[in-house]
Amino acid sequence: MAESAAGTLDRLQPEVKPFTPDAAKEIVMSLQEPAVFCNMAFDWPALCWDASYLAKLLAGKRIPFRIGKKDIGTAPLFETECSYVEATLEEFLAWNLREPSCSSGPFTAYESCKYWAYADYKYIARLFEDNTEQFKDVRWSDFGFPGRDGRKSTLWVGSAGANTPCHLDSYGCNLVLQVQGRKRWHLYPPEDSPFLYPTRIPYEESSVFSKVNVVNPDWKRFPQFKKAQTHMVTLNPGQILFVPRHWWHYVESVDPITVSINSWIELDADHEARVEEALTRTLICAVKSADHLSTSESWLNPTEAEVTSHETNLQYLNAAVSGYLEHQKINRTKPRIPGTQTTEETFEDSHKRRKVQANTAEGFKLMPCESNLAAIKTKKPGEIPFGQNLFKILPQTQHADSMGTAEGDFKAFLSENDGRLGKLYRAGTMPKTNDDTGAFVDQTDPSSRASSVQAAICTNDLLDCVLNPQVISFMARLLLERASLV
């Protein structure tokens, strides 16, 4: 099958790529905003990986699909709220294209006009573990990453309306090849994080979700979202999108069938991010395990296998701190070239979602610290060669901003609430509490009485504050500072 895909592309008229691998890598490491590369993948055999071709390649292999309703509410549809089926791509195509002569298997319970289906985050290394030749169809080496192919890539197959909730990735930057159909990307810069109401619930390592449904926001609950700068682009087949580190993104399938392939590129800054993620895991597991009113199904994303023990989480945290300190030690002994960034070339199993192998004690592994970091010369913003083969994604005017400029991350975060925190009190006033329970009583509500106490703050509200990215970043730096003095 791989030979037939390559053979089809070989018959195309040869073209010259607009950027050499070294030039492309230099651009990727220089970009501070999302951009789209054109004419960089015209000879990749992976461009033949449409859903029908993949169905033949996988030969009846069953894969998990996430299913959601097409009706758009004002709340994000998180993965914890979706349905799941295991099916073949043949069954997916029969259901999506409404072919009565073919079996749609488990999709039969869902009307394709009311539901979408998404085979997302499918690691190509696992899909084609019995057909490793397919890895060569994906050629990230054209972007200056030698040896990076399908083995370090992820496959996405969806129907119209299939989407990923708005989130940011804690690790690396992202390259995305659109193979079939179109996908619309809504992107927001890291500095807009306070306006996107970050949350770690549902929890999964390496993803910070937004409480906002960015395509249909609840303006009463999330008024600060009006300040967010939306960068929107519809990615067409053959184009490659670059998503910089920590950029928020919501992604939706536009056409009846979409296929994408992506790879997360490890960056030097990920050493500190691993400490932050380990700290987040330790705190959320500790608090949620003590909360007898919550179940793991309500706060743990399906991508997380289990609630890891406190002992395991502390091992993970200590390993991340040790890895960071070792990396810093190596960096101090290596000459650095001014105006360069570093990217990790050979981090094993380079995927976004890293999991702790916690099934057995010997399954726990120390995070490796790479010593073969490649120094990359970077360009100044004015030197990046934008044009017909590389275009930047400009911000759009979303709403007239009548609320003025941002007044700081924490102030923006605390100034508005999500409807569960109760009313905020002006400076100089304190809410009264019930003498017996200590719960807050809202004095501004005439119907409030001490005898009818309302619990104003729940566990998730507490975690949204404690696990806020700015708080976690500050705590991680304190930990690292303390560990460096030992």
Side-chain angles (χ1 to χ4, degrees):
M1 288 295 184
E3 291 181 359
S4 63
T8 300
L9 289 168
D10 287 342
R11 289 193 297 271
L12 297 175
Q13 183 177 356
E15 299 181 44
V16 176
K17 297 195 174 182
F19 307 109
T20 65
D22 287 344
K25 188 172 187 177
E26 186 177 342
I27 292 170
V28 164
M29 291 297 109
S30 304
L31 285 166
Q32 300 298 313
E33 294 185 342
V36 175
F37 288 85
C38 301
N39 301 313
M40 284 294 290
F42 59 81
D43 59 347
W44 292 19
L47 275 186
C48 293
W49 284 21
D50 60 25
S52 298
Y53 181 74
L54 286 170
K56 295 176 182 177
L57 279 179
L58 294 173
K61 188 170 188 175
R62 306 190 79 79
I63 56 178
F65 283 83
R66 179 163 60 94
I67 297 178
K69 287 186 177 181
K70 290 184 177 181
D71 293 339
I72 300 177
T74 56
L77 184 62
F78 292 122
E79 295 173 45
T80 50
E81 300 162 346
C82 292
S83 301
Y84 292 84
V85 300
E86 285 200 358
T88 65
L89 279 176
E90 289 92 344
E91 291 169 334
F92 166 74
L93 290 171
W95 170 77
N96 191 36
L97 301 176
R98 303 180 188 181
E99 297 177 352
S101 59
C102 302
S103 171
S104 56
F107 290 110
T108 306
Y110 305 92
E111 295 182 54
S112 59
C113 60
K114 296 181 180 179
Y115 293 88
W116 49 257
Y118 208 5
D120 51 357
Y121 299 102
K122 299 299 175 272
Y123 298 150
I124 292 175
R126 298 174 189 171
L127 284 177
F128 297 110
E129 57 187 350
D130 299 325
N131 189 6
T132 58
E133 285 297 313
Q134 301 299 148
F135 298 156
K136 299 177 182 178
D137 289 3
V138 183
R139 300 174 178 175
W140 299 115
S141 56
D142 283 351
F143 282 82
F145 301 101
R148 184 173 290 267
D149 53 18
R151 191 185 303 273
K152 296 181 179 180
S153 302
T154 311
L155 181 70
W156 311 67
V157 181
S159 62
N163 64 79
T164 305
C166 187
H167 68 284
L168 67 80
D169 301 324
S170 303
Y171 303 138
C173 57
N174 194 2
L175 287 170
V176 187
L177 168 67
Q178 192 62 27
V179 176
Q180 180 181 6
R182 295 169 298 160
K183 274 187 173 177
R184 184 171 295 119
W185 288 70
H186 303 243
L187 301 116
Y188 305 87
E191 57 266 26
D192 282 357
S193 291
F195 313 141
L196 285 150
Y197 299 82
T199 183
R200 294 310 299 257
I201 300 173
Y203 170 75
E204 73 172 13
E205 183 182 348
S206 81
S207 292
V208 182
F209 289 103
S210 168
K211 290 184 179 181
V212 184
N213 180 351
V214 299
V215 294
N216 189 30
D218 185 336
W219 296 111
K220 290 184 178 180
R221 289 185 66 194
F222 309 116
Q224 294 283 337
F225 180 60
K226 293 177 182 177
K227 297 180 181 180
Q229 286 286 313
T230 306
H231 295 63
M232 190 183 302
V233 65
T234 299
L235 202 62
N236 294 305
Q239 295 180 332
I240 294 176
L241 171 67
F242 170 71
V243 182
R245 183 175 187 264
H246 285 183
W247 271 69
W248 294 84
H249 48 284
Y250 167 89
V251 191
E252 58 182 338
S253 295
V254 176
D255 291 324
I257 299 175
T258 62
V259 177
S260 308
I261 298 171
N262 86 295
S263 186
W264 285 283
I265 310 298
E266 292 287 334
L267 296 173
D268 190 59
D270 291 345
H271 287 279
E272 185 171 343
R274 291 187 194 106
V275 177
E276 295 173 357
E277 286 301 298
L279 181 57
T280 298
R281 177 186 288 274
T282 301
L283 292 174
I284 193 170
C285 288
V287 172
K288 279 296 189 179
S289 297
D291 183 4
H292 302 297
L293 297 179
S294 69
T295 61
S296 61
E297 290 78 11
S298 64
W299 64 272
L300 197 66
N301 215 47
T303 53
E304 292 287 332
E306 61 182 352
V307 180
T308 45
S309 70
H310 190 62
E311 180 182 8
T312 295
N313 292 336
L314 284 179
Q315 286 182 315
Y316 185 27
L317 179 56
N318 278 281
V321 170
S322 297
Y324 173 87
L325 295 177
E326 183 183 350
H327 170 67
Q328 293 295 102
K329 181 180 179 181
I330 292 172
N331 264 10
R332 283 195 295 268
T333 61
K334 290 175 58 179
R336 289 293 301 271
I337 303 172
T340 64
Q341 293 189 42
T342 54
T343 179
E344 297 192 34
E345 300 271 0
T346 59
F347 196 98
E348 186 178 357
D349 191 26
S350 178
H351 293 306
K352 170 200 169 196
R353 299 183 173 189
R354 303 196 187 288
K355 299 294 179 290
V356 178
Q357 302 299 322
N359 295 331
T360 61
E362 60 271 17
F364 183 85
K365 296 182 179 180
L366 182 72
M367 283 288 187
C369 179
E370 296 302 327
S371 58
N372 56 336
L373 300 176
I376 304 163
K377 184 179 178 181
T378 57
K379 293 178 177 290
K380 296 179 181 179
E383 298 175 344
I384 297 175
F386 292 111
Q388 62 179 0
N389 293 308
L390 175 67
F391 62 88
K392 65 175 70 176
I393 303 169
L394 300 174
Q396 297 184 342
T397 302
Q398 187 179 47
H399 290 274
D401 185 1
S402 59
M403 306 183 70
T405 58
E407 297 177 344
D409 288 351
F410 284 102
K411 192 170 182 180
F413 173 71
L414 294 172
S415 63
E416 302 296 340
N417 63 79
D418 65 357
R420 293 176 298 169
L421 286 174
K423 297 179 181 178
L424 297 177
Y425 298 88
R426 293 184 180 181
T429 66
M430 288 294 292
K432 288 186 177 180
T433 60
N434 179 277
D435 293 335
D436 295 326
T437 65
F440 292 122
V441 177
D442 188 354
Q443 295 173 286
T444 64
D445 184 354
S447 64
S448 293
R449 295 182 178 86
S451 59
S452 58
V453 176
Q454 295 180 353
I457 298 176
C458 67
T459 303
N460 287 358
D461 297 323
L462 173 64
L463 288 172
D464 279 343
C465 295
V466 174
L467 303 181
N468 182 275
Q470 283 75 36
V471 177
I472 288 293
S473 177
F474 180 70
M475 292 174 66
R477 290 173 187 174
L478 287 177
L479 271 179
L480 292 171
E481 181 179 347
R482 177 172 179 169
S484 66
L485 298 175
V486 176

